[in-house]
């Protein structure tokens, strides 16, 4: 099973890209790991931590002759990167990505990538508010779910992408890009927007440091994430997010009405249902 | 400085009450710690962990001759408990509480408690989604802020309550009940409502377990809290919470509009401001 994924090109050596390189290399899964990035500094860091074997400022150079290309750029750049590397890939090259939104990318692949389609979208549910190759970890994907969206893809390519994530320790499920985007809007994108909104609201209240407890710390932790990443996520999953935000706003208005009405029973039911849902979704 | 707080009666031996008993006893701050509760089982547990010296099913019995009474019952019960224990307290007895809302309790004290007022409200910013005496910790209050609301209170009583929290390791600030309630609505109560709403929204989306990342875990952690506690907080701080919820709803509607308009710059600004606020409030 040595080097089962051959030569792998990782385009973008941030937290996710560097971690993938470390995982592939530590498990002997790649004959060579090439890293491409726009900043020499990040590439040097990825080389220094042994996350990649060779560094490339030109993504096309990294893809030339690669067996597997993994686009680890922010969501909004994936389609552009696909255009950029397309002529550097051959008909055997399998391409995937790690972006948090899948619908627009799948549509772009269907419209622009040669058939049989060897692009298969992925979204590993791993990462943190930290970013940059220096936070890369060989075990980042271990135990995390990865969602694979193989719409219209060549079955052999789907199988390879599926096994890539399993090989680095992920559990994998397959779904459609639409289903993926609708669910992560609710489990990830809207929680982030809400976390940011709470931080802003508290920021307007002056010096609130003495009034902060663990609840505030937990709820606003992800508000420390990079603005441009979350801007791009909003811009690449707008329909599911706006639809989910409308439902959240309605729900908050209902709770507000319960409080205005001093409806203790309604409030108990609301908090009990939320606790039940949380316990079911995250059984800790 | 031995036994500087004399005989202390803790009414309610949950997480906060049991932790206070443990802190007082481990630091030799009380001549005796009496615990009162409605359930023998909780009292037995508090006795077993040495959080209290004696157990009382009758709160009045625990208060009889006590120098300091700390009401550690849920917010909605504090006023009722004050009524219940009033005739068991003498004019020297100093009384405080630990409830998360302060306005209604301060108003009740002002209307019903004998003058000079020796009731001084407190709110230690400590605790977790865990509850019950078995989670009590002698160091729960160490490093945590405690907000003390001494409106119209006897200065000597205020000084004692202030020093109680410092003696168990807290940092103390004093403010008005209104200011307290307005700020914690934003830093604690509304974050909880939002956390619960996100858990509910995700619960409606079916089997979402593979789509859960650390962000969701963090944002919804406090949704596992006890429904009745949060119902009571909403019912005892309704004005500040409904006002803050209205502002949050407006803010979410603005973000929703930014996404609908594909306003990348506006979204970047929103997320950057939130990150700045979060970093300022919680410099980790």
């Amino acid at each position: 099973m040595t080097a089962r994924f051959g030569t792998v090109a990782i385009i973008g050596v941030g937290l996710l890209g560097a971690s993938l390189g470390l995982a592939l290399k530590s498990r002997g899964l790649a004959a060579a790991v090439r890293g491409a990035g726009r900043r020499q500094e990040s590439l040097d860091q990825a080389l220094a931590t042994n996350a990649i074997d060779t560094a490339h400022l030109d993504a096309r150079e990294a893809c030339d002759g690669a067996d597997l290309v993994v686009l680890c750029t922010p969501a909004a750049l994936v389609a552009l990167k696909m255009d950029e590397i397309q002529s550097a890939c051959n008909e055997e090259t399998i391409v995937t990505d790690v972006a948090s939104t899948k619908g627009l990318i799948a549509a772009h692949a269907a419209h622009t990538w040669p058939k049989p389609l060897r692009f298969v979208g992925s979204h590993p549910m791993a990462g943190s508010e930290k970013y940059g190759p220096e936070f890369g970890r060989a075990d980042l994907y271990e135990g995390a779910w990865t969602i694979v969206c193989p719409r219209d893809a060549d079955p052999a390519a789907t199988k390879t992408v599926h096994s890539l994530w399993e090989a680095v320790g992920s559990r994998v499920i397959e779904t459609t890009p639409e289903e993926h985007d609708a669910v992560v809007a609710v489990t990830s994108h809207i929680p982030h927007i809400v976390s940011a909104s709470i931080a802003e609201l508290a920021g307007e209240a002056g010096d609130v440091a003495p009034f902060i407890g663990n609840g505030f710390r937990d709820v606003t932790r992800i508000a420390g994430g990079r603005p441009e990443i979350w801007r791009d996520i909003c811009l690449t999953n707008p329909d599911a997010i706006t639809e989910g935000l409308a439902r959240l706003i309605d729900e908050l208005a209902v709770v507000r009405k319960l409080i205005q009405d001093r409806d203790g029973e309604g409030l108990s039911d609301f908090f009990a249902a939320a606790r039940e849902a949380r316990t079911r979704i995250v059984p800790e």
Side-chain angles (χ1 to χ4, degrees), chain A:
Chain A
M1 297 295 281
T2 324
R4 58 193 271 206
F5 297 106
T7 296
V8 180
I10 295 173
I11 314 302
V13 291
L15 173 70
L16 293 173
S19 293
L20 182 60
L22 289 167
L24 289 170
K25 283 161 62 69
S26 70
R27 292 166 183 245
L29 292 165
V33 176
R34 300 174 180 169
R38 288 177 301 177
R39 296 194 312 127
Q40 187 64 46
E41 192 189 338
S42 298
L43 290 170
D44 288 344
Q45 209 145 20
L47 280 170
T49 57
N50 212 26
I52 57 177
D53 297 310
T54 57
H56 308 262
L57 285 166
D58 179 355
R60 293 170 46 81
E61 180 185 288
C63 293
D64 184 29
D67 300 291
L68 175 63
V69 174
V70 185
L71 300 167
C72 297
T73 58
L77 295 182
V78 171
L80 292 170
K81 277 290 161 193
M82 285 175 68
D83 295 348
E84 182 183 337
I85 65 168
Q86 188 180 123
S87 66
C89 295
N90 61 47
E91 61 187 15
E92 296 300 315
T93 312
I94 294 169
V95 183
T96 187
D97 73 316
V98 300
S100 304
T101 60
K102 299 267 71 84
L104 291 181
I105 291 167
H108 190 77
H111 291 134
T112 65
W113 206 256
K115 307 290 173 300
L117 185 62
R118 291 171 75 80
F119 174 88
V120 184
S122 304
H123 178 201
M125 300 298 297
S128 75
E129 75 280 10
K130 304 281 187 359
Y131 57 93
E134 64 271 35
F135 297 107
R137 300 184 351 228
D139 66 353
L140 185 74
Y141 300 104
E142 277 177 28
W145 281 98
T146 296
I147 298 117
V148 170
C149 298
R151 168 169 296 165
D152 298 330
D154 171 28
T158 300
K159 198 172 160 191
T160 298
V161 170
H162 195 115
S163 67
L164 166 71
W165 298 112
E166 287 185 342
V168 296
S170 264
R171 293 174 288 176
V172 177
I173 64 159
E174 296 183 6
T175 185
T176 64
E178 292 75 21
E179 167 80 4
H180 169 277
D181 285 0
V183 177
V184 295
V186 168
T187 60
S188 170
H189 308 163
I190 291 169
H192 193 95
I193 290 167
V194 161
S195 177
S197 298
I198 291 285
E200 280 231 310
L201 206 64
E204 291 165 7
D207 180 17
V208 299
F211 299 86
I212 298 302
N214 289 332
F216 184 85
R217 280 192 197 90
D218 284 343
V219 169
T220 60
R221 184 162 294 117
I222 54 174
R226 274 196 296 176
E228 57 273 29
I229 293 287
W230 288 95
R231 173 200 63 202
D232 289 356
I233 285 172
C234 289
L235 294 176
T236 56
N237 193 18
D239 296 338
I241 295 176
T242 52
E243 194 270 328
L245 269 181
R247 284 192 290 137
L248 177 67
I249 289 169
D250 287 347
E251 172 125 13
L252 292 173
V254 167
V255 177
R256 187 169 181 271
K257 182 74 166 47
L258 291 174
I259 298 173
Q260 280 179 320
D261 294 346
R262 312 294 193 265
D263 183 345
E265 200 175 329
L267 287 165
S268 281
D269 290 347
F270 163 71
F271 287 117
R275 179 164 74 163
E276 188 277 319
R278 210 280 173 178
T279 309
R280 183 161 44 79
I281 295 168
V282 189
E284 281 171 324

